[in-house]
């Protein structure tokens, strides 16, 4: 080809690349049509009455309030925050109260006005990004330019009748991320995608290579069949990742609202540009349903896609050797070692993994053929992977291995081609625009990044040791199955560097492939370290290059076959120690996947203390014993000696034997424990049994497996007065809420004997409300008229409990009338309510049809329920809260309700209480485990629908940024990032 032809082709690519970049930039800055919801209170034609209004984010963008001067009686004219939580710093609301004839209007820490109540006038409070202004009949009384709009969880008043005349609120909620592209933006996005496709196609066609990509076409074999069968089975058996429900909630909410937000905290800000995985689930979940098994079709397809791409990559790297059955078998073991613990998750890492596998294939093909054009789609695929999660930066790492080829291309071409190369690279990277900014603005994404940094603790790259500390921890993150692929890969990287330094075993097809995979894996582990968080889940992003490296090491051994004996001894000992550390990890797979698991008592909460017995073992033989792995090495040496004496090749060395045993044994053991677990859990529910049930017409998970004890409306009346002695008196303790029916309490020594309560037919249990210090000296007994007695947990837990707790008493047969007998020791407080009859009902009957909040760990197992969302800047009010058990309550309960983290349901938590109903799995589990979870009725201070909502629309350009949520003034939270 002549220089003029090359220049013309370069000019075409330069123009195409530049056009693609310009269109991408224009699309990023193009406007969107954003929702502008407006709340009006009171409802049209009605007088003001208190209502819950849980804004999320907590502050409206604009607020206008009119407050009449007339009311003079003491009380609340208006509150946007319950009085019990209306702290000027942590929950800064707006309040107008009358006390002793004085009207005080306050917003946050500022008292806007304090003066005599009464008169024929109207105060108006206006608050927006420009500050807060108070006027009276148009005259300005106070002006605070730096005072933001107040937080809103409710609109409440104690006024009634004529006193409410003139009282009203109108506010614009903060729904900045609920937007859709304008026609202009849609046109630019379509034009950009067409230009991008043309750029990539021309680059691949014009910058070609001189060799075929594949030396041999790989054919399906036993290894492929094993991977497919195990992958499909694992969709049913595999463990639930603790974040699976979180990401499913993002996708499910996105299907309802059009915005992929955090769904749990950080004010539900957009996750853009890291939303590719959620969009995949949103598309599929909208079609197939939101249960665990249907959604697992996404990681199953991603896992099988990764396998196919790695199979092709191995052939590209190692020619015909890469298609040999032994190599395919090793690749299958390595792939499953990574896929089983990390690949079935609904987290975004599998998206990054399949992208990384695609980039590895394209880069390997480019290096083999010299086709620089293949690096253009490789760049686009790498950026696609990075849009899944920050840890998926691993997908871009293989591009670094192609830098010598790019350098050669730049050195031996003219300036037009050099500029075209840069333009094509940027154009390929611009694939991030349609993926990350299709329905959001660049300013929205900047704000999202700022919020994530402000409200979430992030680790710098130099604290990467935290990743490995978590991996070696005694909890679920340090489970032996999660340690297995990571630690084996790290060990092979270290020994592989020794191999390359000694220049032994670096030649031949597999040797060259080993060097490529080693470099990609080492750089991938470095890239994972750049992740701002340090959860063990992130290691799944490095699975693609690590699988290639581990597979080659399984075939050839991690050390050269002719290595000096001292090096073999050191390397084998190191691998043995690594294997021992792997299998010293506990067999913990919470949430839910721990049910029925072997090795120790999984109902013990204190995992660190019991880590020894939770590690894999067979009787007294523990796989963590270094002696066991020494025996594996000795057995390999003995076998090699026998083969040499027989005149045959010695086969695998001791290092390869230890590596193969650890990796293959780990894959087999993972499959074994997750097959045994549901069998041992039977007849109780398990992840596997619920997945199988979803295939046979029972797709509702825990709703089909949980029984709830539901109380009647109230206790029956007693047949006579109670007998009280000592300090026991009628009524609840002074600081406790009242209950339906009679209540008694004692602050000192005293006794109670109630009248008889009839038990209605059909009741299966009694719930006895109890509060107080609940020391072991207190006694609460239910006596039956037929002479039976039932102590109600004489060893009552807790100290200085402030709420009521329902203690359960089982009834058997035809229940006779019952009464309570209570004894309280000196110096303690106890309160007791009348017993309430209760009946067992399936959870599906109890919660079905009502809006529920199933938390970020358990939501996947409640797929049939009406999961609430944050829509129009308002958190939908749930009637039920469904929480995970498994000993994870402390780590999950407050996430959505914690204001300093921007919990999306903080307003709900401020205006409601949660009444837990006794519940259990039915039938009961076969093995002891943590409690399954919690069913809680949500009881609100006020009705939840006492306002009008109108949704308008406003047009915002890509650079327009609304008031930031990332500052200390918003919630009092200091900068964490």
């Amino acid at each position: 080809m002549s220089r003029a032809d090359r220049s013309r082709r370069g000019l075409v690519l330069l123009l195409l690349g530049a056009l693609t970049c310009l269109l991408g930039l224009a699309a990023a800055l193009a406007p969107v049509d954003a929702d502008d919801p407006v709340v009006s209170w009171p409802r049209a034609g009605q007088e003001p009455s208190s209502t819950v209004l849980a804004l999320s984010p907590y502050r409206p963008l604009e607020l206008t309030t009119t407050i009449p001067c007339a009311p003079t009686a003491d009380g609340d004219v208006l509150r946007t925050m319950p009085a019990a939580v209306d702290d000027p710093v942590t929950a800064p609301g707006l309040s107008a109260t009358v006390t002793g004839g004085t009207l005080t209007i306050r917003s946050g820490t500022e008292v806007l006005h304090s003066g005599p109540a009464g008169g024929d006038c109207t105060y108006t409070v206006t608050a927006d990004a420009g500050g807060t202004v108070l006027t009276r009949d148009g005259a300005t009384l106070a002006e605070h330019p730096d005072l933001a709009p107040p937080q809103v969880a409710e609109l409440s008043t104690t006024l009634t009748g004529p006193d409410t005349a003139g009282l009203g609120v109108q506010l614009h909620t903060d729904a900045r991320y609920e937007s859709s592209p304008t026609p202009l933006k849609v046109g630019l996005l379509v034009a950009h995608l067409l230009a991008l496709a043309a750029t990539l196609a021309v680059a691949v066609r014009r910058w070609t290579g001189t060799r075929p990509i594949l030396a041999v076409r790989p054919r399906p074999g036993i290894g492929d069949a094993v991977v497919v069968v195990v992958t499909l089975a694992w969709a049913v058996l595999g463990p639930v990742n603790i974040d699976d429900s979180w990401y499913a909630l993002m996708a499910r909410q996105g299907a309802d609202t059009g915005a992929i937000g955090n769904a749990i905290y950080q004010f539900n800000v957009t996750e853009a540009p890291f939303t590719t995985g959620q969009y995949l689930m949103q598309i599929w979940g909208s079609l197939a349903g939101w249960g665990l098994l249907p959604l697992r079709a996404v990681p199953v397809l991603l896992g099988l896609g990764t396998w196919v791409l790695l199979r092709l990559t191995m052939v590209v790297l190692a020619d015909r050797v890469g298609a040999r059955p032994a190599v395919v078998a090793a690749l299958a073991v390595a792939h499953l070692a990574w896929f089983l613990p990390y690949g079935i998750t609904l987290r975004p890492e599998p998206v990054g993994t399949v992208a990384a596998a695609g980039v590895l294939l394209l880069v390997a093909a480019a290096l083999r053929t010299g086709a620089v054009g293949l690096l253009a789609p490789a760049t686009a695929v790498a950026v696609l992977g990075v849009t899944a999660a920050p840890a998926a930066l691993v997908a871009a790492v293989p591009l670094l291995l192609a830098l010598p080829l790019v350098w050669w291309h730049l050195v031996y071409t003219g300036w037009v081609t050099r500029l075209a190369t840069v333009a094509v690279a940027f154009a390929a990277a611009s694939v991030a625009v349609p993926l990350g900014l299709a329905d959001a603005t660049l300013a929205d994404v900047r704000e999202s990044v700022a919020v994530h940094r402000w409200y979430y603790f992030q680790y710098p790259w130099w604290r990467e040791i935290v990743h490995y500390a978590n991996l070696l921890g005694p909890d679920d993150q340090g489970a032996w199955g999660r340690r297995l692929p990571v630690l084996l890969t790290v060990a092979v990287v270290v020994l592989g560097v020794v191999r390359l330094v000694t220049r032994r075993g670096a030649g031949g097809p597999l040797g060259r492939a080993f060097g490529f995979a080693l470099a990609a894996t080492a750089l991938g582990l470095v890239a994972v370290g750049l992740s701002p968080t340090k959860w063990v889940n992130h290691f799944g992003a490095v699975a693609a290059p690590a699988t290639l490296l581990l597979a080659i090491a399984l075939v050839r051994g991690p050390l050269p076959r002719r290595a000096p004996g001292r090096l073999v001894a050191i390397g084998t000992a190191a691998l043995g120690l690594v294997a021992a550390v792997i299998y010293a990890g506990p067999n913990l797979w919470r949430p839910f996947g721990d049910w029925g698991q072997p090795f120790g008592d999984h109902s013990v909460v204190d995992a660190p203390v019991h880590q020894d017995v939770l590690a894999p073992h067979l009787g007294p033989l523990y796989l963590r014993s270094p002696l066991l792995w020494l025996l594996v090495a000795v057995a390999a040496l003995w076998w090699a000696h026998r083969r040499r004496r027989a005149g045959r090749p010695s086969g695998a060395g001791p290092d390869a034997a230890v590596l193969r045993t650890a990796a293959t044994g780990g894959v087999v053991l993972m499959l074994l424990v997750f097959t045994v677990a549901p069998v041992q859990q039977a007849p109780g529910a398990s992840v596997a049994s619920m997945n199988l049930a979803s295939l046979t017409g029972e797709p509702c998970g825990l709703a089909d497996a949980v029984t709830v004890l539901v109380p009647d409306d109230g206790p029956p009346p007693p047949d006579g007065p109670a007998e009280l002695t000592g300090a026991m008196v009628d009524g609840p303790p002074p600081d406790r809420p009242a209950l339906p029916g009679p209540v008694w309490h004692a602050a000192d020594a005293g006794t109670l004997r109630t009248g008889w309560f009839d038990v209605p037919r059909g009741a299966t249990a009694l719930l006895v409300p109890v509060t107080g210090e609940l020391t072991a000296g207190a006694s609460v007994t239910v006596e039956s008229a037929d002479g039976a007695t039932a102590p109600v947990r004489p060893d009552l837990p807790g100290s200085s409990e402030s709420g009521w707790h329902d203690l359960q008493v089982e009834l058997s047969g035809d229940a006779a009338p019952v009464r309570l007998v209570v004894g309280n020791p000196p110096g303690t407080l106890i309160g007791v309510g009348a017993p309430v009859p209760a009946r067992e009902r399936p959870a599906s009957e109890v919660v079905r049809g009502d809006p529920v909040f199933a938390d970020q760990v358990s939501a996947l197992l409640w797929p049939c329920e009406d999961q609430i969302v944050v829509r129009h800047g308002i958190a939908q009010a749930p009637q039920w809260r469904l929480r995970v058990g498994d000993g994870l309550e402390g780590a999950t309960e407050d996430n959505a309700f914690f204001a300093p983290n921007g919990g999306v349901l903080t307003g709900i938590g401020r205006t409601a209480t949660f009444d837990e109903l006794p519940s259990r799995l039915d039938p009961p589990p076969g093995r002891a485990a943590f409690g399954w979870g919690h069913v809680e009725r949500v009881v609100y201070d006020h009705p939840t629908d006492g306002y009008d909502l109108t949704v308008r629309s406003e047009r915002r350009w890509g650079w327009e940024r609304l008031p930031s949520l990332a500052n200390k003034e918003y919630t009092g939270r200091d900068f964490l990032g």
Side-chain angles (χ1 to χ4, degrees):
M1 182 186 301
S2 68
R3 181 183 297 271
D5 289 338
R6 286 196 297 269
S7 296
R8 280 195 298 271
R9 292 188 174 188
L11 182 60
V12 170
L13 277 171
L14 174 59
L15 294 175
L16 274 175
L19 176 62
T20 303
C21 292
L22 289 174
L23 288 171
L25 179 61
L29 298 177
V32 296
D33 286 329
D35 288 352
D36 178 25
V38 180
V39 170
S40 300
W41 178 82
R43 304 193 74 165
Q46 300 180 10
E47 70 175 36
S49 60
S50 299
T51 183
V52 170
L53 178 60
L55 297 193
S56 187
Y58 317 144
R59 300 179 189 268
L61 294 175
E62 300 176 22
L63 176 142
T64 302
T65 301
T66 56
I67 302 169
C69 301
T72 57
D74 285 3
D76 295 332
V77 180
L78 174 67
R79 282 189 178 276
T80 67
M81 197 67 60
V85 299
D86 191 6
D87 183 275
V89 176
T90 61
L94 174 70
S95 64
T97 59
V98 176
T99 305
T102 299
L103 172 65
T104 302
I105 302 176
R106 177 179 62 80
S107 181
T109 58
E110 299 291 340
V111 176
L112 304 180
H113 171 74
S114 183
D120 185 16
C121 61
T122 300
Y123 295 95
T124 301
V125 178
T126 303
D128 55 25
T132 300
V133 177
L134 172 68
T135 64
R136 182 171 57 200
D137 293 339
T140 300
L141 299 182
E143 191 168 0
H144 298 271
D146 296 326
L147 183 58
Q151 295 187 15
V152 178
E154 67 179 21
L155 298 173
S156 62
T157 182
T158 58
L159 302 182
T160 58
D163 285 344
T164 63
L167 178 62
V169 175
Q170 185 178 84
L171 57 85
H172 295 245
T173 67
D174 190 345
R176 67 183 72 189
Y177 296 111
E178 295 180 35
S179 58
S180 58
T182 59
L184 172 62
K185 185 160 188 168
V186 171
L188 288 170
L189 288 169
V190 171
H192 168 262
L193 287 173
L194 292 175
L196 175 61
T199 301
L200 298 180
V202 173
V204 170
R205 186 174 180 180
R206 296 290 173 85
W207 293 335
T208 58
T210 57
R211 298 178 61 191
I213 294 177
L214 294 174
V216 61
R217 180 174 297 177
R219 296 181 178 179
I222 296 177
D224 302 284
V226 168
V227 168
V228 171
V229 170
V230 171
T231 300
L232 295 177
W234 201 241
V236 175
L237 298 172
V240 178
N241 188 287
I242 196 169
D243 287 337
D244 281 354
S245 289
W246 201 322
Y247 283 86
L249 283 176
M250 295 185 201
R252 187 170 181 174
Q253 179 171 262
D256 287 339
T257 68
I260 301 292
N262 184 281
I264 299 299
Y265 55 35
Q266 295 175 7
F267 309 106
N268 196 42
V269 298
T270 181
E271 291 290 294
F274 305 114
T275 52
T276 303
Q278 292 93 309
Y279 278 130
L280 288 175
M281 276 193 292
Q282 176 182 323
I283 295 169
W284 179 248
S286 299
L287 297 173
W290 299 104
L292 177 62
L293 187 61
L295 286 181
R296 278 187 168 176
V298 174
V300 162
L301 291 175
L302 293 173
L304 292 176
T306 300
W307 166 252
V308 171
L309 292 171
L310 292 179
R311 278 274 274 127
L312 294 173
T313 303
M314 186 67 83
V315 175
V316 172
L317 290 173
D319 295 329
R320 297 179 182 275
V321 176
R324 289 177 181 174
V327 175
V328 175
L331 188 65
V333 169
H335 172 71
L336 292 176
W338 275 100
F339 178 79
L340 297 183
Y342 291 106
I344 198 63
T345 180
L346 301 182
R347 283 180 54 87
E349 282 79 14
V351 177
T353 299
V354 72
V359 177
L360 284 168
L361 175 60
L362 290 168
V363 169
L367 293 176
R368 174 184 172 87
T369 64
V372 177
L374 292 175
L375 298 180
T379 302
V381 173
V383 173
L384 184 152
V386 175
T387 61
L393 182 62
V394 174
V397 160
L399 294 172
L400 298 177
L401 305 183
L403 288 180
L405 177 62
V406 175
W407 177 255
W408 178 89
H409 173 73
L410 294 176
V411 167
Y412 291 97
T413 55
W415 277 105
V416 172
T417 302
R418 292 171 187 170
L419 292 174
T421 303
V422 174
V424 169
F426 278 101
S430 71
V431 72
V433 173
L435 289 172
L437 298 173
D439 59 355
T441 68
L442 188 60
D444 288 341
V445 173
R446 290 180 57 209
E447 174 64 12
S448 174
V449 171
V451 169
H452 282 78
R453 292 193 62 210
W454 191 279
Y455 292 96
Y456 195 85
F457 185 79
Q458 302 184 39
Y459 291 93
W461 61 268
W462 61 83
R463 297 195 62 187
E464 175 60 4
I465 189 65
V466 175
H467 254 145
Y468 295 91
N470 287 334
L471 185 68
L472 298 177
D475 58 8
D476 310 76
Q477 290 197 75
W480 66 268
R482 294 189 175 104
R483 294 181 183 186
L484 176 75
V486 178
L487 295 185
L488 288 183
T489 296
V490 171
V492 171
V493 167
V494 173
L495 296 180
V497 170
V498 173
R499 169 186 286 203
L500 295 181
V501 168
T502 59
R503 297 182 180 275
R504 295 173 177 269
L510 279 181
R512 293 189 295 271
F514 184 83
F516 178 89
L518 176 65
T521 303
L523 291 171
L525 290 171
V526 172
V528 167
L530 299 178
S531 172
T533 54
K534 302 297 181 185
W535 299 109
V536 168
N537 296 316
H538 301 153
F539 282 117
V542 80
T547 297
L548 289 175
L549 178 68
L550 189 56
I552 298 169
L554 288 170
V555 174
R556 297 191 57 174
L559 290 170
R561 293 184 179 179
R562 294 182 298 277
R566 182 180 302 176
L567 179 59
V568 172
I570 294 174
T572 303
L575 283 169
L577 288 174
V578 167
V581 171
I582 289 169
Y583 290 101
N587 191 54
L588 284 174
W589 299 97
R590 292 180 297 173
F592 310 115
D594 213 44
W595 295 354
Q597 284 287 345
F599 312 131
D601 184 357
H602 289 254
S603 65
V604 178
V605 176
D606 194 0
V609 174
H610 298 275
Q611 179 180 349
D612 288 348
V613 296
L614 293 177
H617 62 278
L618 183 62
L621 179 62
Y622 280 80
L623 300 186
R624 65 168 179 263
S625 171
L627 179 60
L628 175 65
W629 298 100
L630 176 61
L631 291 176
V632 171
V634 170
L637 288 172
W638 172 78
W639 183 251
H641 175 69
R642 284 197 57 184
R643 290 176 63 89
R644 282 196 301 269
R645 291 193 60 179
R648 299 162 62 189
S650 60
D655 57 321
V658 171
L659 181 64
R660 292 174 183 175
T661 303
T664 307
V667 170
V668 172
L669 186 59
M670 281 282 285
L671 294 171
L672 181 63
V673 298
F674 278 95
T675 302
V676 167
V679 175
Q680 293 191 140
Q681 183 72 355
S686 62
V687 173
S689 70
M690 286 185 281
N691 281 335
L692 288 173
S694 71
L695 296 173
T696 57
E698 295 183 358
C700 295
L702 287 173
D704 293 329
V706 171
T707 296
V708 182
L709 191 62
V710 182
D712 290 350
D713 292 336
D719 67 351
E723 301 173 12
L724 311 176
T725 68
M728 190 69 68
V729 295
D730 287 313
D735 59 344
R736 313 298 158 95
L739 297 174
V743 182
W744 306 269
H745 82 275
D748 207 337
T751 65
L752 164 70
R753 187 184 301 271
T754 71
W756 293 98
F757 298 88
D758 286 328
V759 178
R761 185 177 300 276
T764 58
L766 295 175
L767 298 179
V768 181
V770 178
T771 188
E773 297 179 18
L774 308 185
T775 61
S779 65
V780 181
T781 303
V782 175
E783 291 186 352
S784 175
D786 60 11
T789 61
V792 183
R793 290 173 59 187
D795 183 18
L796 300 174
S799 175
S800 299
E801 295 287 346
S802 60
W804 291 94
H805 299 266
D806 290 330
L807 305 182
Q808 182 176 341
V809 179
E810 299 291 338
L811 296 175
S812 58
D814 294 330
V818 298
R819 67 182 178 185
L820 297 180
V821 179
V822 180
N824 191 52
T828 61
L829 172 69
I830 192 172
V832 181
V836 180
R839 308 158 197 273
E840 288 189 336
R841 294 171 56 195
S844 57
E845 292 183 8
V846 175
V847 305
R848 187 66 44 81
D850 292 334
V852 307
F853 170 65
D855 69 14
Q856 68 275 13
V857 176
S858 63
L860 270 173
L861 299 183
W862 297 95
C864 299
E865 311 317 317
D866 182 13
Q867 176 71 36
I868 64 165
V869 297
V870 177
R871 181 187 285 114
H872 307 318
I874 303 171
Q876 186 181 354
Q879 298 303 306
W880 298 92
R881 181 168 73 165
L882 310 173
R883 292 196 294 118
V884 70
D886 265 355
L888 296 170
E889 290 90 341
T892 62
E893 181 176 3
D894 294 333
N895 281 4
F897 301 87
F898 188 48
N901 277 356
V904 298
L905 299 185
T906 294
I908 300 295
R910 287 168 167 168
T911 58
T913 56
F914 304 94
D915 180 20
E916 181 169 359
L917 304 184
S919 59
R920 61 180 173 83
L921 287 176
D922 189 21
R927 287 175 63 92
F930 292 108
W932 79 268
H934 309 269
V935 175
E936 299 170 340
R937 193 194 310 269
V938 187
V939 183
Y940 290 94
D941 298 340
H942 311 295
T944 59
D945 59 352
Y947 56 87
D948 289 328
L949 175 66
T950 304
V951 181
R952 305 171 184 172
S953 180
E954 65 175 8
R955 186 153 292 183
R956 277 204 321 268
W957 287 90
W959 58 82
E960 294 183 66
R961 194 166 178 179
L962 296 180
S964 181
L965 310 174
N967 54 69
K968 185 175 181 178
E969 289 72 26
Y970 205 95
T971 64
R973 166 54 60 88
D974 287 311
F975 178 65
L976 293 181

